[in-house]
Amino acid sequence: MFGLFQKGGKNKQLDAVIRKIEMNAANNYKDAAQEGLRELEEELHKLMAEGKISGKQRAYYEERLAAFQEQMKKFTHKDQKPTWV
């Protein structure tokens, strides 16, 4: 039922990785979100190289990837400021 109104590029594999990134980022699991970002990038490039993704899908997922990369530039634990300072 939840998938009826889901937006996405219609590639289940990439959409699953995107959901994982979004959940990890929302829960402040920074390392897991960064790992998901790397996974998304690798999987997208793999599908593009194999010709298993259409031009429209490619544009959609490249846009999502770029947005995540921008959003997560400083999304790491080492950049986190301690609350007691």
Side-chain angles (χ1 to χ4, degrees):
M1 176 162 192
F2 292 107
L4 291 176
F5 302 105
Q6 177 181 348
K7 292 181 180 179
K10 305 299 186 228
N11 182 293
K12 291 179 183 181
Q13 201 173 1
L14 295 175
D15 286 339
V17 177
I18 288 172
R19 281 192 302 278
K20 186 167 44 170
I21 293 169
E22 291 172 338
M23 286 190 309
N24 286 326
N27 289 313
N28 209 25
Y29 299 146
K30 295 176 180 184
D31 294 335
Q34 290 285 356
E35 179 60 35
L37 178 61
R38 285 187 290 278
E39 182 182 348
L40 176 63
E41 186 172 15
E42 289 171 10
E43 200 60 41
L44 177 59
H45 290 297
K46 178 181 150 194
L47 291 172
M48 288 178 354
E50 295 173 353
K52 294 184 177 180
I53 194 165
S54 72
K56 193 174 187 179
Q57 288 176 325
R58 178 180 176 167
Y60 171 79
Y61 288 113
E62 284 179 333
E63 184 179 309
R64 293 299 307 265
L65 177 63
F68 280 131
Q69 288 171 332
E70 183 64 31
Q71 175 186 353
M72 292 190 196
K73 277 187 178 176
K74 295 210 177 245
F75 196 68
T76 63
H77 286 294
K78 68 179 184 131
D79 294 327
Q80 186 173 344
K81 304 286 187 245
T83 57
W84 60 85
V85 176

